[in-house]
Amino acid sequence: MNPPAATVALPSLPGESALSAPEADKALLQPLYALIAEQPFFKGLKAAHLQLLTDSAFERRFEKGQMIFNEGSPANRFFVILEGKVALESEVKERGTLIIQTLGPGDDLGWSWLFPPYSLHFSARAVEPTRTIFFFGIRLREQCAQDHELGYQLMTRIAEVTTRCIRSMQQRLMECTDPDKLQQ
C-alpha cells in the first residue's frame, strides 16, 4: 500500500479552505490557461494542447522602449501580446533601424523558434508598456516532435503569421524604396 500523498496547507483567505500544494499549483495555472485559450492564435486547439502550452508559459511585461529580443539572437522563445504595442525592427546599412511592422494585442511574436537555424530574423522593441505571454520555444519544439498533431497545429498557425509578415515587409520595402530606382 502506498503512503498517502503529502499535502501542504497553503494560506487561504478568511472563509476559504486551505489547498494542498498540487491543488494550489493547478489553481494558479488556470488564469494563464484561460488567457492562452482566449488568444486568437490558439483558437480551436484541444484542451490537452492548451495545457501543454500553459505548462511552457508565463506572463511577462516590458516597459516602453525595452528590447524584447535582438536580431540574430537564438530563437528559443515566442510571445503572444496581451496589451501594448511592439515594433519589429531591422538594421539597414546607411538607413539605421527600420520598423518592419507594429504588432498589438492578439498578435504573436518570435516565430523563428520552430525553424532551423533557430535564430531571430528581426529585433522587437516595446513601443508602449506591453504585457505578453512568454512561451519556452525549445520546450514546445520538443513537444511538437513528440505530438505531431500539436506540431501541425502550431506550424499551420505560424505559416499564416509568416505570410502576413512577408506581406508587411513587401509593403514596407515599397514605402522605403526610391521611386526612381524602381524604374531602372
Side-chain angles (χ1 to χ4, degrees):
M1 186 172 173
N2 292 333
T7 59
V8 177
L10 298 177
S12 58
L13 297 173
E16 292 183 343
S17 60
L19 297 174
S20 68
E23 290 169 331
D25 287 345
K26 188 169 184 168
L28 290 173
L29 291 178
Q30 291 312 309
L32 184 57
Y33 178 96
L35 269 176
I36 291 169
E38 290 171 0
Q39 300 311 305
F41 186 78
F42 299 119
K43 287 285 185 204
L45 286 181
K46 292 180 177 181
H49 292 154
L50 292 170
Q51 189 59 55
L52 285 173
L53 289 163
T54 302
D55 293 343
S56 297
F58 63 91
E59 278 192 60
R60 174 98 194 263
R61 294 177 186 267
F62 298 92
E63 297 301 320
K64 179 180 178 178
Q66 186 176 358
M67 292 303 296
I68 297 171
F69 54 74
N70 293 302
E71 187 173 351
S73 297
N76 55 14
R77 63 213 176 269
F78 81 104
F79 304 84
V80 172
I81 301 169
L82 299 173
E83 298 170 0
K85 290 185 181 175
V86 174
L88 282 181
E89 305 172 339
S90 187
E91 287 296 319
V92 179
K93 279 187 179 180
E94 299 176 15
R95 291 196 76 148
T97 301
L98 179 66
I99 296 175
I100 303 296
Q101 187 177 20
T102 302
L103 304 172
D107 290 328
D108 65 294
L109 175 65
W111 44 264
S112 300
W113 65 274
L114 193 53
F115 305 103
Y118 310 116
S119 65
L120 295 163
H121 300 281
F122 303 107
S123 295
R125 178 186 316 274
V127 176
E128 59 188 43
T130 301
R131 182 174 153 236
T132 68
I133 302 172
F134 172 108
F135 295 89
F136 291 98
I138 294 171
R139 186 181 304 166
L140 287 179
R141 198 167 54 230
E142 291 167 355
Q143 290 170 336
C144 288
Q146 293 172 6
D147 182 338
H148 294 167
E149 184 180 352
L150 173 64
Y152 175 78
Q153 291 296 328
L154 291 179
M155 184 76 74
T156 300
R157 287 162 168 78
I158 290 174
E160 291 175 22
V161 170
T162 305
T163 301
R164 283 194 310 266
C165 187
I166 289 170
R167 280 192 220 119
S168 181
M169 281 185 1
Q170 287 174 323
Q171 181 64 37
R172 227 18 219 136
L173 285 171
M174 295 301 289
E175 292 170 3
C176 295
T177 305
D178 182 358
D180 295 335
K181 292 181 183 178
L182 289 176
Q183 295 175 350
Q184 295 178 350

